[in-house]
Amino acid sequence: MSVEIFGLKFDDVDVATATRTILARDHMAPFTYVVTPNVDHLARLREDGGLAAIYRGAGLRLLDSRVIAHLARLLGHATPQVATGADLVAALLPALAARRARLCVIGMTAPQAALLETRYPGLDIIHHEPPMGFDRDEAAFEAARRAAVAAAAPVTLLALGSARQEPLAAAIAADPAARGVGLCVGAAPLFAIGALRRAPRLLNHAGLEWLWRLASEPRRLATRYLWRDPPALLAIGRDLRRTACRTQQSSR
């Protein structure tokens, strides 16, 4: 089962299955990466063909939006399961800590990375904090890429936000020496250390976590949630509707 939006197919994988898949992967296998698109991400890749290609090149594409899932069901689509980046990180960290595994973190501040290691003492954390605007600085971008490759960790958290972490993931994957799995998960590690609070479960399952986050960080998120995302959501709805119409016509 899958749903396609703007040419991007989502995998029908829940958090538990994604976690098992990542943990079972040979840590010496070539590097691959996981993307967790939400409305905001789709708004960006709709306008950027290069970014869309990077998302399509991911080993796993997990739906990180209950709003999109509700909309798809409303329009008659059999939707993949929602597997958010925050839930995936929350499931993976204790499992990696129990294995005393190495974890590479690209992003976060040094104190935040230290707190992550305190919360999960079994982890061997290799941390690299790129400077602001690293994605527009060739040397800084290359330093982040090299840090991830050199760490050779089974899992690398790319906690840099869209659309900075995904091009970095693709650049790491292009290096034949790179190993492990990269998770493009934005602020998810901040939830893991308590720097950000998740929405209550009821709001989460109702697809209203965005409202919780907007109330928590209005200055940072108002433009995204109130200005950029609504037109994108309308475009997503139109794309889903066109797909449903094509499916109905082909089945006749």
Side-chain angles (χ1 to χ4, degrees), residues 172-197:
I172 297 167
D175 189 326
R179 298 291 181 265
V181 180
L183 308 182
C184 299
V185 290
L190 299 181
F191 292 113
I193 62 173
L196 292 176
R197 289 178 58 205

Short mmCIF file of all heavy atoms in Angstrom, two decimals, residues 172-197:
data_model
loop_
_atom_site.label_atom_id
_atom_site.label_comp_id
_atom_site.label_asym_id
_atom_site.label_seq_id
_atom_site.Cartn_x
_atom_site.Cartn_y
_atom_site.Cartn_z
N ILE A 172 26.40 12.40 1.53
CA ILE A 172 27.04 11.31 2.27
C ILE A 172 26.86 10.00 1.52
O ILE A 172 27.80 9.21 1.36
CB ILE A 172 26.46 11.21 3.70
CG1 ILE A 172 26.74 12.49 4.49
CG2 ILE A 172 27.03 10.00 4.44
CD1 ILE A 172 25.93 12.60 5.78
N ALA A 173 25.65 9.76 1.03
CA ALA A 173 25.35 8.51 0.31
C ALA A 173 26.17 8.38 -0.96
O ALA A 173 26.42 7.26 -1.43
CB ALA A 173 23.86 8.43 0.00
N ALA A 174 26.57 9.51 -1.53
CA ALA A 174 27.35 9.48 -2.77
C ALA A 174 28.80 9.08 -2.53
O ALA A 174 29.52 8.78 -3.50
CB ALA A 174 27.30 10.84 -3.45
N ASP A 175 29.23 9.03 -1.27
CA ASP A 175 30.61 8.65 -0.94
C ASP A 175 30.67 7.13 -0.78
O ASP A 175 30.01 6.57 0.09
CB ASP A 175 31.04 9.33 0.36
CG ASP A 175 32.53 9.17 0.65
OD1 ASP A 175 33.10 8.11 0.32
OD2 ASP A 175 33.12 10.11 1.21
N PRO A 176 31.47 6.42 -1.59
CA PRO A 176 31.54 4.96 -1.50
C PRO A 176 32.00 4.45 -0.14
O PRO A 176 31.72 3.31 0.22
CB PRO A 176 32.55 4.58 -2.59
CG PRO A 176 32.59 5.75 -3.52
CD PRO A 176 32.32 6.94 -2.67
N ALA A 177 32.69 5.31 0.63
CA ALA A 177 33.20 4.89 1.94
C ALA A 177 32.15 5.01 3.05
O ALA A 177 32.35 4.49 4.15
CB ALA A 177 34.43 5.72 2.33
N ALA A 178 31.04 5.69 2.78
CA ALA A 178 30.04 5.94 3.82
C ALA A 178 29.27 4.68 4.17
O ALA A 178 28.93 3.88 3.30
CB ALA A 178 29.08 7.03 3.37
N ARG A 179 28.99 4.50 5.45
CA ARG A 179 28.28 3.34 5.95
C ARG A 179 27.16 3.78 6.90
O ARG A 179 27.16 4.87 7.44
CB ARG A 179 29.23 2.41 6.71
CG ARG A 179 30.36 1.83 5.85
CD ARG A 179 29.80 0.85 4.84
NE ARG A 179 30.84 0.25 4.00
CZ ARG A 179 31.20 0.71 2.81
NH1 ARG A 179 30.63 1.81 2.32
NH2 ARG A 179 32.12 0.10 2.10
N GLY A 180 26.19 2.87 7.12
CA GLY A 180 25.14 3.12 8.09
C GLY A 180 23.88 3.72 7.48
O GLY A 180 23.69 3.73 6.26
N VAL A 181 23.01 4.21 8.35
CA VAL A 181 21.73 4.79 7.95
C VAL A 181 21.64 6.21 8.51
O VAL A 181 21.89 6.43 9.69
CB VAL A 181 20.54 3.97 8.50
CG1 VAL A 181 19.21 4.59 8.08
CG2 VAL A 181 20.62 2.53 8.02
N GLY A 182 21.30 7.14 7.66
CA GLY A 182 21.09 8.52 8.09
C GLY A 182 19.61 8.81 8.24
O GLY A 182 18.81 8.44 7.36
N LEU A 183 19.23 9.42 9.34
CA LEU A 183 17.83 9.77 9.59
C LEU A 183 17.69 11.29 9.48
O LEU A 183 18.26 12.03 10.29
CB LEU A 183 17.39 9.30 10.97
CG LEU A 183 17.63 7.84 11.33
CD1 LEU A 183 17.09 7.55 12.72
CD2 LEU A 183 17.01 6.92 10.31
N CYS A 184 16.93 11.73 8.51
CA CYS A 184 16.68 13.17 8.34
C CYS A 184 15.48 13.53 9.23
O CYS A 184 14.32 13.41 8.81
CB CYS A 184 16.39 13.48 6.88
SG CYS A 184 17.75 13.07 5.76
N VAL A 185 15.77 13.96 10.45
CA VAL A 185 14.71 14.04 11.46
C VAL A 185 14.58 15.41 12.12
O VAL A 185 13.84 15.56 13.10
CB VAL A 185 14.91 12.96 12.55
CG1 VAL A 185 14.63 11.58 11.98
CG2 VAL A 185 16.32 13.02 13.13
N GLY A 186 15.26 16.43 11.62
CA GLY A 186 15.05 17.78 12.13
C GLY A 186 15.18 17.91 13.63
O GLY A 186 16.20 17.55 14.22
N ALA A 187 14.12 18.39 14.26
CA ALA A 187 14.14 18.67 15.70
C ALA A 187 13.85 17.45 16.56
O ALA A 187 13.79 17.57 17.79
CB ALA A 187 13.12 19.77 16.01
N ALA A 188 13.68 16.27 15.97
CA ALA A 188 13.30 15.09 16.75
C ALA A 188 14.20 14.82 17.95
O ALA A 188 13.69 14.48 19.03
CB ALA A 188 13.24 13.86 15.85
N PRO A 189 15.54 14.96 17.86
CA PRO A 189 16.37 14.71 19.03
C PRO A 189 16.10 15.69 20.18
O PRO A 189 16.35 15.37 21.34
CB PRO A 189 17.80 14.86 18.50
CG PRO A 189 17.69 14.59 17.04
CD PRO A 189 16.36 15.14 16.65
N LEU A 190 15.57 16.88 19.85
CA LEU A 190 15.25 17.84 20.91
C LEU A 190 14.07 17.36 21.74
O LEU A 190 13.98 17.67 22.94
CB LEU A 190 14.96 19.21 20.31
CG LEU A 190 16.11 19.86 19.52
CD1 LEU A 190 15.69 21.23 19.01
CD2 LEU A 190 17.36 19.97 20.40
N PHE A 191 13.16 16.62 21.14
CA PHE A 191 12.08 15.99 21.91
C PHE A 191 12.66 14.91 22.82
O PHE A 191 12.22 14.75 23.96
CB PHE A 191 11.03 15.38 20.98
CG PHE A 191 10.24 16.38 20.19
CD1 PHE A 191 10.38 16.47 18.81
CD2 PHE A 191 9.36 17.25 20.81
CE1 PHE A 191 9.66 17.38 18.07
CE2 PHE A 191 8.64 18.18 20.08
CZ PHE A 191 8.79 18.25 18.71
N ALA A 192 13.65 14.19 22.32
CA ALA A 192 14.24 13.09 23.09
C ALA A 192 14.93 13.57 24.36
O ALA A 192 14.96 12.85 25.36
CB ALA A 192 15.23 12.31 22.22
N ILE A 193 15.49 14.79 24.34
CA ILE A 193 16.18 15.31 25.53
C ILE A 193 15.29 16.23 26.35
O ILE A 193 15.73 16.76 27.37
CB ILE A 193 17.48 16.04 25.15
CG1 ILE A 193 17.20 17.26 24.28
CG2 ILE A 193 18.46 15.09 24.46
CD1 ILE A 193 18.42 18.12 24.00
N GLY A 194 14.05 16.44 25.91
CA GLY A 194 13.13 17.28 26.67
C GLY A 194 13.26 18.76 26.39
O GLY A 194 12.62 19.57 27.06
N ALA A 195 14.05 19.14 25.39
CA ALA A 195 14.18 20.55 25.04
C ALA A 195 12.91 21.07 24.38
O ALA A 195 12.60 22.26 24.45
CB ALA A 195 15.39 20.76 24.12
N LEU A 196 12.19 20.18 23.71
CA LEU A 196 10.87 20.47 23.16
C LEU A 196 9.90 19.42 23.67
O LEU A 196 10.27 18.28 23.88
CB LEU A 196 10.90 20.44 21.62
CG LEU A 196 11.69 21.52 20.90
CD1 LEU A 196 11.68 21.25 19.40
CD2 LEU A 196 11.15 22.91 21.19
N ARG A 197 8.65 19.82 23.86
CA ARG A 197 7.63 18.90 24.37
C ARG A 197 6.73 18.44 23.24
O ARG A 197 6.31 19.23 22.40
CB ARG A 197 6.78 19.58 25.46
CG ARG A 197 7.51 19.82 26.76
CD ARG A 197 6.59 20.53 27.75
NE ARG A 197 5.38 19.77 28.00
CZ ARG A 197 4.22 20.30 28.40
NH1 ARG A 197 4.12 21.60 28.58
NH2 ARG A 197 3.18 19.53 28.62
#
